[in-house]
Amino acid sequence: MDLLRGYTEGDDDNDGPEEMSRGGGGEGESLESAAATEGEGEAEGSSSPDSSPPRLPAKSSAPRVDDTTLALAAAESARAIHRPLDPAQHAVAFNPTYDQLWAPIHGPAHPFAKDGVAQGMRNHKLGFVEDAAIQPFLFDEQYNTFHKYGYATDPSGLSYVGDLETLTKNQALSVYNMPQQEQKRRRLQMKAPDAEEADPSAAGPEVENPSSDEWLLKNRKSPWSGKNEVVQGELTEEQKKYAEEHAEKKAEKERGEGRAGNKAEHSDKSTFHGKEERDYQGRSWIEPPKDAKPKNDHCYIPKRWVHTWSGHTKGVAAIRFFPKHGHLLLSAGMDSKVKIWDVFNSGKCMRTYMGHSKAVRDISFSIDGTKFLSAGYDKNIKYWDTETGKVISTFSTGKVPYVVKLNPDEDKQNILLAGMSDKKIVQWDMNSGTITQEYDQHLGAVNTITFVDNNRRFVTSSDDKSLRVWEFGIPVVIKYISEPHMHSMPSISLHPNSNWLAAQSLDNQILIYSTKERFQLNKKKRFAGHIAAGYACQVNFSPDGRFVISGDGEGKCWFWDWKSCKVFRTLKCHEGVCIGCEWHPLEQSKVATCGWDGMIKYWD
């Protein structure tokens, strides 16, 4: 419609002057218009064969536009297309070319920077270092090429850096794209030294020059050449002297080890410290007094310190009363000695047993007390005669024994059980000296062995924080007790009524387990208050079962009531750790304690 309207207005404007000329305008005007019309008609007639009516140019209704600003903007955009990108701008208003995207960064000159790099663009002391993404293989290729030939390709791939003369000579060769001709030439060079060795006259003068490649190729040696290629020459006097001294030292060391082994074998001895080994009636010094019997069945807590046995030069690891009578006290020392002390009469050391070369870990009497076992850190278990001090037999597996026990049955006194540091419980027949059984289920060193259920079963504890129950003679676990809250239990004692086990747990409490079929934890009985974490403090019972006793890491001896689980009394016994405590089997109010201060104390 607008287009039609524009044509209509154009026709009206064209017709107006013609009508005015017809209507009575001046002759001059009509002549001029006629001349103009004739000129246009001639022009149109000349341009096209068909004549057309004369027309004037159409007028546009759009406003006039100043195209100067548009031309300047177009020129600026064309200039921007060829200008490098500004790294600080966040948007690009045109499609940049590849050269612009990969062109080096040119920051605006900064008035306060010496090298013209803006402070925000600086990431190095020397200006701006641009990151370049390059594959590891390509980088290694250019790196090795530069170190070998002295030139390399720039990371942009547009130029080279380094020795351009060598670059031209090698035709931009890299170390990884060596042509076949070069490879062939090198193979021939490698074969050349063999030919020169066969014909020395064929070798050139460069072979004798150590700085030449020919000399290096001739005298090179394989990096894998073994000792067979080296011919051993005669030793110098100094080397011969050194070899003789070394041989003498080695022989002397071997002789010393042999002497030490013989000494260890034959150093089992003991010393008797009493007046006489037999009295006027011919009775041995280990025989119990005939009037030794319990005064009553009721036990009492001791109150005072009545005696001290001091003879060990280092700490005391364990103490054991003589079975049933308690007239003698056996002690294991960290000074590698075992001593036995008189309790009833003189209160002195009666005999010292010296057979171990390192600290003694555990001791255990036989059922009648005439013999005892000792286990030491020298990896030996020794079976001693208590009266004479002689070693009856020695057992060893090459591992440290942590606990030793004899089977409590009278007819099985020849059966020895030992918990070892290699997670095994080893069973020996002491008559034959052979290992008859191995109980191998624990995941850590075995700490305790306790017989239960009329000695048909035994319970073991270990560093693996578990308890395992075994049938005697059968190496299969019949009960496995392991809970997430359990800690290692380095000491276990059997209650006098044989129904309960007291286990010293390393989280500063004593736990009670049933010895019935299920071996359940008695959650109602828990004895705590002492600090035993980190120490294998012995736990024990009074002979009547009314009290629980234990040492602790601060040198105290703790007494708890069995029924109420309350602390009954605490005695400060030792300066260091109170590691062991034993209630006297006959005298109901007397307790012996031992500690790492080397003392054994008797309390009443």
Side-chain angles (χ1 to χ4, degrees):
M1 293 300 293
D2 295 337
L3 201 58
L4 291 174
R5 196 179 296 117
Y7 280 125
T8 306
E9 289 175 358
D11 291 339
D12 293 341
D13 292 340
N14 294 336
D15 293 339
E18 292 178 7
E19 290 175 0
M20 288 177 65
S21 64
R22 288 176 196 156
E27 288 181 16
E29 293 174 4
S30 63
L31 289 172
E32 288 173 5
S33 60
T37 305
E38 285 177 5
E40 288 178 3
E42 289 175 1
E44 289 178 1
S46 63
S47 63
S48 61
D50 300 325
S51 60
S52 59
R55 285 178 184 271
L56 290 175
K59 291 183 179 180
S60 174
S61 61
R64 292 269 312 193
V65 177
D66 186 7
D67 57 353
T68 308
T69 308
L70 186 62
L72 291 173
E76 181 67 23
S77 64
R79 206 177 299 117
I81 289 175
H82 299 288
R83 188 189 308 146
L85 292 176
D86 182 8
Q89 70 182 92
H90 296 285
V92 181
F94 60 93
N95 287 336
T97 63
Y98 177 84
D99 294 335
Q100 282 179 288
L101 287 174
W102 290 96
I105 296 177
H106 298 286
H110 200 276
F112 303 108
K114 293 180 182 180
D115 51 1
V117 180
Q119 194 67 26
M121 298 299 299
R122 183 184 301 276
N123 62 1
H124 192 267
K125 285 192 247 181
L126 303 178
F128 179 79
V129 178
E130 184 180 2
D131 291 334
I134 184 169
Q135 295 180 356
F137 174 79
L138 297 177
F139 178 83
D140 292 342
E141 181 184 19
Q142 299 304 322
Y143 178 84
N144 295 326
T145 302
F146 185 81
H147 279 276
K148 182 166 186 179
Y149 297 130
Y151 60 85
T153 308
D154 189 83
S156 64
L158 303 176
S159 62
Y160 290 90
V161 293
D163 189 356
L164 298 181
E165 292 182 5
T166 312
L167 172 74
T168 308
K169 180 182 175 182
N170 291 350
Q171 299 178 355
L173 187 71
S174 76
V175 292
Y176 290 167
N177 57 7
M178 194 183 301
Q180 291 185 352
Q181 294 177 354
E182 180 71 13
Q183 294 178 7
K184 186 176 180 181
R185 185 180 68 82
R186 297 228 174 156
R187 280 199 297 269
L188 291 173
Q189 281 184 351
M190 292 176 67
K191 291 179 180 177
D194 298 335
E196 290 175 1
E197 286 177 7
D199 186 8
S201 61
E206 292 294 327
V207 177
E208 303 300 328
N209 184 8
S211 62
S212 64
D213 292 339
E214 287 80 0
W215 187 90
L216 289 173
L217 287 170
K218 179 182 177 183
N219 295 282
R220 69 182 177 84
K221 283 189 177 180
S222 169
W224 294 278
S225 59
K227 296 181 180 178
N228 295 333
E229 297 181 7
V230 180
V231 180
Q232 180 66 43
E234 289 190 11
L235 296 175
T236 62
E237 293 297 326
E238 187 177 353
Q239 288 175 332
K240 288 180 181 178
K241 184 178 178 183
Y242 177 80
E244 290 174 1
E245 290 177 357
H246 181 71
E248 288 178 4
K249 286 181 181 178
K250 189 175 180 181
E252 186 177 349
K253 185 179 179 182
E254 290 176 355
R255 287 196 299 269
E257 289 177 354
R259 283 198 301 268
N262 296 334
K263 185 178 179 182
E265 291 176 4
H266 301 293
S267 66
D268 299 333
K269 60 182 181 179
S270 70
T271 305
F272 183 71
H273 305 287
K275 291 183 180 179
E276 49 190 5
E277 295 191 18
R278 295 187 177 273
D279 63 1
Y280 69 97
Q281 290 183 338
R283 291 177 300 185
S284 171
W285 62 274
I286 67 167
E287 283 192 18
K290 294 189 176 180
D291 58 345
K293 50 186 152 183
K295 296 176 182 176
N296 55 44
D297 296 334
H298 205 71
C299 292
Y300 300 93
I301 301 291
K303 297 179 181 178
R304 59 194 179 94
W305 169 25
V306 294
H307 188 68
T308 301
W309 292 287
S310 60
H312 288 286
T313 56
K314 294 183 181 179
V316 181
I319 52 174
R320 301 284 185 269
F321 273 112
F322 196 91
K324 297 179 183 177
H325 300 91
H327 64 290
L328 297 173
L329 179 68
L330 191 69
S331 65
M334 296 181 185
D335 54 359
S336 74
K337 296 176 183 177
V338 179
K339 291 178 178 287
I340 192 163
W341 313 81
D342 180 54
V343 176
F344 281 172
N345 300 318
S346 64
K348 295 181 180 178
C349 179
M350 297 300 292
R351 188 180 279 278
T352 301
Y353 305 88
M354 295 167 285
H356 291 282
S357 58
K358 292 184 180 179
V360 184
R361 163 82 187 202
D362 191 31
I363 46 177
S364 177
F365 269 116
S366 63
I367 194 171
D368 57 359
T370 57
K371 300 173 182 64
F372 70 90
L373 289 164
S374 66
Y377 283 99
D378 58 356
K379 304 176 183 177
N380 289 325
I381 302 169
K382 293 185 181 291
Y383 191 42
W384 301 83
D385 187 299
T386 310
E387 181 181 359
T388 62
K390 293 180 180 178
V391 175
I392 300 171
S393 52
T394 303
F395 309 95
S396 177
T397 63
K399 303 294 180 182
V400 177
Y402 280 178
V403 57
V404 286
K405 274 282 171 63
L406 287 171
N407 191 305
D409 286 340
E410 290 186 8
D411 59 340
K412 295 177 182 173
Q413 285 295 291
N414 62 321
I415 303 298
L416 159 66
L417 285 178
M420 313 301 288
S421 61
D422 63 346
K423 315 169 192 176
K424 295 180 181 179
I425 300 127
V426 183
Q427 178 177 316
W428 274 280
D429 182 356
M430 291 192 292
N431 292 341
S432 62
T434 58
I435 296 175
T436 57
Q437 193 62 269
E438 280 190 357
Y439 306 84
D440 186 9
Q441 291 284 322
H442 276 293
L443 305 176
V446 182
N447 292 324
T448 65
I449 298 173
T450 309
F451 281 89
V452 296
D453 193 15
N454 294 325
N455 307 326
R456 290 182 299 173
R457 298 174 180 168
F458 62 92
V459 181
T460 59
S461 68
S462 166
D463 285 345
D464 61 6
K465 304 179 183 179
S466 70
L467 294 177
R468 296 174 196 251
V469 185
W470 313 76
E471 199 83 38
F472 180 74
I474 302 172
V476 179
V477 174
I478 61 172
K479 181 70 177 178
Y480 171 57
I481 306 168
S482 180
E483 299 291 341
H485 60 79
M486 285 176 61
H487 287 68
S488 182
M489 298 177 184
S491 175
I492 292 180
S493 183
L494 183 66
H495 193 276
N497 65 11
S498 302
N499 292 332
W500 305 99
L501 286 174
Q504 180 82 264
S505 179
L506 285 188
D507 56 348
N508 298 327
Q509 59 180 347
I510 297 171
L511 303 177
I512 305 299
Y513 288 89
S514 168
T515 59
K516 301 299 180 186
E517 288 296 323
R518 300 184 64 185
F519 289 89
Q520 280 186 319
L521 173 67
N522 189 340
K523 297 180 180 178
K524 294 182 180 179
K525 287 194 181 295
R526 175 180 163 273
F527 303 91
H530 60 314
I531 307 297
Y535 303 102
C537 297
Q538 183 184 354
V539 61
N540 222 317
F541 287 97
S542 61
D544 61 354
R546 290 178 56 240
F547 298 107
V548 180
I549 181 175
S550 170
D552 80 345
E554 297 177 346
K556 296 178 183 177
C557 186
W558 292 68
F559 297 86
W560 291 271
D561 183 64
W562 169 253
K563 286 187 177 179
S564 65
C565 300
K566 292 181 180 178
V567 178
F568 208 93
R569 184 168 297 158
T570 304
L571 297 175
K572 176 65 176 175
C573 299
H574 298 275
E575 292 301 321
V577 181
C578 179
I579 199 72
C581 52
E582 283 265 334
W583 210 294
H584 196 282
L586 293 183
E587 299 192 357
Q588 288 80 5
S589 63
K590 294 191 177 178
V591 172
T593 62
C594 67
W596 285 1
D597 55 358
M599 301 291 181
I600 304 166
K601 296 186 178 181
Y602 200 35
W603 303 81
D604 188 3

